[in-house]
Amino acid sequence: SGETVLTLQDLFKSKKMWPGIDQAYFQLLLTEARQVVNRQLYDQAMARIDQVREINPNVPGTEVLAAEITEEAVKNFQRKNDYPRARFYLTRLKGMYPNNQTFIDLSGEFLEKAQTLKDAATQLYQSGQPGAGFDLLTEAMKIWPDTPGLVDMYRREATRYQVLKVGVLDVPQSSSTLPYTSLTNQRVDRLIYEPFFSPSAFQNQSVIFRSVYLEDWIPTDLGRDFDFVLRSDQQPYETQRLLNARELASTILPLITPGHPQSSERLCAIISSLQVIGPQRIRLSLNQIPVAPEATFSTLLRNAKFNESETLTLSEASANSQAVLLDWSSLKLQTPRFTPVSLDLETSIFIRPRPEPKDTLDFHVAEVREELMIDAQEVVARLRSGDLDYCPDLPPFFAEQIKTDGKFFVQTYALPRTSILQFHLESPYFKRPVMRRVLQYAINRERILKQTLEVDDFTQHARLVSGPAPTASYASNPLIPPVDFSPATALALMLTSRAPDETPLPPLKLLCPDDDQAIKVCTEIQKSWQRLGLTVNLIRESPGDQPPKYDLVYRRIRMYEPLLELWPLLTLQPSARLADLTNFPAWLRVKLMELERISDRASAQKLLHELHEDLAKEAFLIPLWEINQYAVFGNHIQGFELNPLSEYQNLETWSMRPRLLTLSR
């Protein structure tokens, strides 16, 4: 007839007048369905069933085969604990054959499992274990959301006790060989403890601080005195406990007492005396007026650290509305923001120390679960599946991907994360100025950013930097350009500066944090220096109390107030101490001490710009780049900051709507 026949199906369609051709075509489709089922291609198998039913819904054996395919698919996904996929095939079978016995039997099994979980969850809620009850309700919703009363119970309980599931790419170390506190440990510290003043907003190139403990802080006598008025009441959603003047004074006194083991040289120099002038009021008399008083006073409240033996069980913490300890012997307070229930490598759980009243109108996050993910791809997959609610730090490449989903809010942190290389102050490489410059000229920062860190758009996601402060900060000197990559200059400096009788330098030891991204970066830097003929040993972070011998360490920082953080940063110490400056030249020591005595913002900015230029010229540290950080919130979360300064900023005000559609689909 002149027709073009491309497939066997086309042949059947072209011979419709042949006797028995329809039955042969149906048998062909059913046979194909059985074959693709063996390869677990259930969608294709069910598609063959649909093709048969479109022509003739009453073909013998079709319903039986559809039931067999559905049963095998359901059992397979049941073994993988993927109940939403299993329910999909059950629902599809019901749409084809509403009264099919396989659907009735399997749906009955799912209903029975969900009902059992619902009953067990009810008992857990009644016994004061809402976190465990929430887990069972969530599992029941995934198995069979049509269980009588389940949706209403889940909506009610998930609103009253809100669990925030957080996907993280690293977990804090209880002990580490790194000579500094990592950003990961800082993240968990900020979740557990609220400092006396904490970063609140970034405005006019500066960070604004606020305090949840104070009603007001009033400078008097032209700023020579500061009156702290402590709060006497708080909102139901607030987690920190209220302080009185006597408690606060007891924890401040050791910090401002010279010679005390807990004393701070900076605070001792600034604060001359402390006076309790009322139950909720203390007065600090100052020797000098600080340029950034809130940032200076942020360390006045020293919380006693939680030990693993002090973590509460879930039932204890839920039942105890005042899970706060006061240790008068050590003069330390515990004012937990969120109390750690368990801290381990896989999942860490933190709960409110003060549960919200049961009759409140608006409930907020009651429990935080940090779950360790393998990589950013797993984070994205778990976010999209509804298993995670929040990711505090997603790399730019994946943040751009997830923006298009329409199911998430992707927020850019107000301050980026800066990466630097810091010298050990006793290292022979640090003591030779030429070698400091050789090492910084040899690093191809742009290539590492693009290829290793997969950051292509510098203007949007990252920038090469010439100093440790954020480029948007008032402390960053815009006239200082980043160091150019110049291996020829590095090699020339190294060869021409070496004296014949000079002692050869030992192998360079680079200390690296133990995470995949840092290891990749440090490996590339190691290769850059090896091309110059240097022997470079890469030392990875490991558990322990004492750092190994090293020459340089790779470090990621976020500076809120460079005026106060520059000195501790350079010395790799938690606070500013004069004894730590001995390895720096006299002119730098003088400038750092002068920075402590400056009393106006304009002079402080001028001196910080000078220090930025000096550090760049002398290469006392090697700035690499700054990369924007992105926080990803599910669109069922409300109350977060649009441009946060920290991972859990204002967590007490976050609230979550129940994710019924995500769980039941």
Side-chain angles (χ1 to χ4, degrees):
S1 61
E3 296 183 18
T4 301
V5 179
L6 300 178
T7 66
L8 187 60
Q9 293 183 8
D10 291 336
L11 175 64
F12 279 117
K13 293 177 181 178
S14 66
K15 307 298 182 182
K16 289 183 179 179
M17 300 305 295
W18 289 11
I21 192 68
D22 287 340
Q23 287 73 18
Y25 179 53
F26 296 151
Q27 291 303 317
L28 171 67
L29 291 176
L30 296 180
T31 301
E32 286 183 345
R34 291 186 178 92
Q35 291 177 346
V36 296
V37 165
N38 295 331
R39 291 178 285 163
Q40 297 186 357
L41 301 175
Y42 306 114
D43 287 334
Q44 295 184 22
M46 296 300 283
R48 302 296 195 280
I49 302 294
D50 284 333
Q51 286 181 273
V52 174
R53 295 181 69 253
E54 285 178 3
I55 302 174
N56 185 357
N58 300 316
V59 174
T62 305
E63 181 176 353
V64 174
L65 181 57
E68 291 176 355
I69 295 171
T70 300
E71 185 173 9
E72 183 171 339
V74 168
K75 297 297 184 182
N76 183 34
F77 289 113
Q78 215 176 349
R79 286 191 295 270
K80 299 177 181 178
N81 202 32
D82 190 352
Y83 282 95
R85 290 284 298 278
R87 283 191 289 104
F88 167 78
Y89 288 100
L90 272 180
T91 304
R92 190 167 183 176
L93 178 62
K94 181 183 179 182
M96 294 178 176
Y97 306 103
N99 299 318
N100 184 271
Q101 189 61 41
T102 299
F103 168 78
I104 295 173
D105 294 341
L106 292 177
S107 61
E109 292 179 13
F110 280 25
L111 173 63
E112 183 178 355
K113 289 182 179 180
Q115 184 63 48
T116 302
L117 292 173
K118 176 175 174 287
D119 295 339
T122 302
Q123 295 179 0
L124 288 172
Y125 277 107
Q126 292 174 351
S127 62
Q129 301 181 60
F134 174 81
D135 290 339
L136 294 186
L137 276 186
T138 302
E139 188 66 20
M141 283 289 296
K142 291 180 178 180
I143 294 175
W144 200 251
D146 294 334
T147 303
L150 178 59
V151 170
D152 291 338
M153 181 180 177
Y154 178 81
R155 182 185 289 111
R156 180 179 65 253
E157 300 299 343
T159 300
R160 288 180 177 176
Y161 190 86
Q162 301 179 13
V163 177
L164 180 72
K165 296 182 179 179
V166 184
V168 297
L169 297 173
D170 44 25
V171 295
Q173 301 292 332
S174 57
S175 62
S176 171
T177 53
L178 293 177
Y180 57 84
T181 302
S182 67
L183 289 178
T184 303
N185 286 60
Q186 293 178 27
R187 180 191 75 223
V188 175
D189 283 345
R190 283 190 292 267
L191 174 58
I192 298 177
Y193 300 111
E194 179 76 25
F196 196 60
F197 283 95
S198 59
S200 177
F202 186 73
Q203 298 176 2
N204 300 324
Q205 299 182 304
S206 300
V207 172
I208 309 300
F209 288 77
R210 61 137 192 170
S211 178
V212 298
Y213 302 101
L214 298 179
E215 188 73 34
D216 202 357
W217 51 100
I218 309 165
T220 60
D221 192 17
L222 300 178
R224 296 183 181 88
D225 291 340
F226 252 87
D227 283 4
F228 291 151
V229 183
L230 294 164
R231 294 176 58 182
S232 56
D233 59 355
Q234 58 187 158
Q235 298 298 322
Y237 60 80
E238 293 182 303
T239 58
Q240 83 289 342
R241 67 185 288 259
L242 295 174
L243 300 177
N244 59 52
R246 180 169 171 264
E247 290 175 335
L248 183 59
S250 295
T251 195
I252 292 177
L253 278 174
L255 303 177
I256 63 175
T257 303
H260 194 282
Q262 299 178 22
S263 65
S264 164
E265 289 187 13
R266 173 177 283 157
L267 294 176
C268 287
I270 294 175
I271 302 173
S272 61
S273 63
L274 179 150
Q275 182 182 4
V276 178
I277 57 178
Q280 303 298 126
R281 195 183 191 100
I282 66 172
R283 175 170 295 167
L284 297 181
S285 297
L286 310 181
N287 294 318
Q288 64 187 61
I289 303 172
V291 177
E294 290 84 0
T296 303
F297 299 143
S298 63
T299 59
L300 285 179
L301 185 61
R302 291 291 181 92
N303 279 284
K305 294 295 183 181
F306 277 99
N307 298 320
E308 291 187 5
S309 60
E310 294 175 343
T311 56
L312 305 176
T313 65
L314 191 59
S315 58
E316 289 173 342
S318 301
N320 186 2
S321 62
Q322 297 294 330
V324 176
L325 304 177
L326 178 61
D327 185 356
W328 289 99
S329 60
S330 63
L331 302 180
K332 290 183 180 180
L333 294 175
Q334 282 192 351
T335 59
R337 185 186 182 198
F338 271 72
T339 304
V341 173
S342 67
L343 300 172
D344 57 47
L345 295 179
E346 297 299 329
T347 302
S348 296
I349 301 176
F350 311 84
I351 69 169
R352 283 178 174 263
R354 299 177 60 252
E356 294 183 278
K358 294 182 179 180
D359 58 350
T360 189
L361 297 178
D362 296 314
F363 289 91
H364 303 86
V365 171
E367 180 178 323
V368 177
R369 297 182 186 176
E370 285 196 351
E371 301 180 21
L372 180 62
M373 303 286 107
I374 298 175
D375 51 29
Q377 289 183 340
E378 184 185 6
V379 173
V380 172
R382 297 277 300 273
L383 282 169
R384 285 172 170 165
S385 67
D387 291 335
L388 294 178
D389 305 301
Y390 170 55
C391 175
D393 183 17
L394 197 63
F397 174 78
F398 295 95
E400 285 296 317
Q401 277 189 339
I402 210 166
K403 276 183 180 179
T404 60
D405 285 21
K407 301 175 183 178
F408 305 96
F409 300 116
V410 180
Q411 305 300 320
T412 307
Y413 284 85
L415 292 179
R417 182 175 60 198
T418 303
S419 296
I420 61 175
L421 290 172
Q422 277 195 264
F423 290 92
H424 191 291
L425 300 184
E426 297 290 343
S427 167
Y429 288 85
F430 175 74
K431 294 179 179 180
R432 295 189 183 182
V434 173
M435 286 307 301
R436 299 199 300 262
R437 297 182 179 90
V438 166
L439 295 176
Q440 71 172 357
Y441 278 124
I443 302 173
N444 191 338
R445 298 164 176 78
E446 185 171 337
R447 182 175 61 83
I448 294 175
L449 266 179
K450 287 184 176 180
Q451 297 182 7
T452 306
L453 298 178
E454 299 180 347
V455 180
D456 293 330
D457 192 341
F458 280 17
T459 59
Q460 182 178 357
H461 300 300
R463 292 150 295 279
L464 301 180
V465 295
S466 58
T471 54
S473 170
Y474 75 96
S476 179
N477 190 340
L479 301 179
I480 308 300
V483 175
D484 293 329
F485 169 57
S486 180
T489 303
L491 183 60
L493 281 173
M494 187 175 67
L495 295 178
T496 58
S497 64
R498 183 180 299 169
D501 58 346
E502 189 176 55
T503 304
L505 289 170
L508 189 151
K509 295 178 284 294
L510 175 60
L511 180 57
C512 172
D514 188 23
D515 66 80
D516 293 340
Q517 188 183 83
I519 292 170
K520 290 179 182 178
V521 169
C522 289
T523 301
E524 290 301 316
I525 294 174
Q526 178 189 28
K527 293 177 182 177
S528 299
W529 292 338
Q530 287 175 337
R531 294 187 189 102
L532 297 176
L534 296 173
T535 302
V536 184
N537 297 329
L538 190 62
I539 305 172
R540 292 175 59 169
E541 172 194 8
S542 59
D545 298 327
Q546 296 297 325
K549 292 183 179 180
Y550 67 94
D551 297 294
L552 282 128
V553 59
Y554 177 71
R555 184 177 183 183
R556 288 163 293 197
I557 62 173
R558 188 192 298 120
M559 294 187 86
Y560 294 110
E561 183 47 78
L563 178 66
L564 301 174
E565 296 178 39
L566 182 60
W567 182 333
L569 173 76
L570 292 175
T571 59
L572 280 167
Q573 297 296 328
S575 60
R577 300 185 305 176
L578 284 173
D580 299 326
L581 295 178
T582 55
N583 289 289
F584 291 104
W587 62 264
L588 181 58
R589 297 199 298 266
V590 170
K591 285 191 175 183
L592 288 173
M593 288 186 287
E594 183 183 351
L595 192 64
E596 294 289 313
R597 295 191 292 266
I598 282 180
S599 59
D600 67 280
R601 197 75 170 184
S603 299
Q605 181 176 10
K606 180 180 178 182
L607 185 53
L608 283 169
H609 282 192
E610 291 179 10
L611 284 167
H612 183 172
E613 183 177 6
D614 294 334
L615 294 175
K617 287 181 179 178
E618 297 294 332
F620 287 128
L621 51 80
I622 302 178
L624 299 175
W625 47 72
E626 63 179 21
I627 301 178
N628 292 344
Q629 286 183 271
Y630 298 93
V632 179
F633 300 84
N635 58 9
H636 61 295
I637 303 177
Q638 301 173 335
F640 54 83
E641 289 291 320
L642 296 182
N643 294 109
L645 282 163
S646 60
E647 294 83 354
Y648 293 109
Q649 185 174 347
N650 297 337
L651 173 63
E652 297 83 356
T653 64
W654 296 7
S655 61
M656 304 166 60
R657 299 188 307 272
R659 305 183 73 174
L660 299 177
L661 292 178
T662 303
L663 293 175
S664 59
R665 67 185 176 190

